[in-house]
Amino acid sequence: MSEIKVPEEILKAVNYYYDGVRNGDIQLAKKSMALWATMSLNENGKVNIVPIQAFYDWVMNCGPQESSYKILGFIQNNKTAMINLQSHYGKTGDCITSFGLVKCDEGWKIVSKLFSDK
């Protein structure tokens, strides 16, 4: 299996997200997100769509925790991209996370976070 190539400027946004989780730092996590970002999740068969503030609240409530990811897939079309990740969070465990990204004046920003428990 060949390594999945992701442009550095997109990985920068993804890494802000995970660095924010690792450090329990909402301001760092916000560097990854567009102001209008949303989060959609499927946990135990229940689907919810919420403002990204729910993610920031989670970071604040959990505090710093181990987090890592493995890239499962990536596709880019000019100024939009989708990246699929296997995520690991120390206090939560493993899940599949997908980020929709858009290239803005400030660089690549996550506009949607999709995740599901395994």
Side-chain angles (χ1 to χ4, degrees):
M1 185 169 164
S2 63
E3 181 181 336
I4 298 171
K5 303 288 186 199
V6 179
E8 285 298 318
E9 58 270 14
I10 291 175
L11 285 177
K12 182 178 179 180
V14 171
N15 287 324
Y16 277 138
Y17 169 91
Y18 286 94
D19 289 345
V21 172
R22 268 191 287 282
N23 293 297
D25 185 337
I26 297 167
Q27 295 308 313
L28 189 56
K30 282 183 175 183
K31 288 183 176 185
S32 70
M33 300 286 182
L35 293 175
W36 61 90
T38 61
M39 182 169 66
S40 302
L41 53 132
N42 183 335
E43 291 182 297
N44 302 315
K46 184 176 181 198
V47 176
N48 290 305
I49 301 170
V50 297
I52 205 60
Q53 183 62 46
F55 165 67
Y56 302 142
D57 293 344
W58 178 79
V59 170
M60 186 175 66
N61 291 332
C62 288
Q65 65 176 308
E66 173 193 347
S67 68
S68 60
Y69 66 87
K70 176 183 175 185
I71 299 170
L72 301 176
F74 173 75
I75 189 166
Q76 182 180 356
N77 182 5
N78 196 11
K79 294 183 180 181
T80 63
M82 179 65 79
I83 189 166
N84 298 314
L85 310 160
Q86 172 144 3
S87 300
H88 173 77
Y89 303 101
K91 295 179 183 173
T92 306
D94 294 335
C95 66
I96 303 299
T97 304
S98 299
F99 294 128
L101 298 102
V102 173
K103 188 170 186 178
C104 306
D105 290 340
E106 306 84 32
W108 286 90
K109 297 289 183 179
I110 297 169
V111 294
S112 66
K113 174 185 175 186
L114 307 167
F115 79 94
S116 176
D117 52 1
K118 269 186 139 178

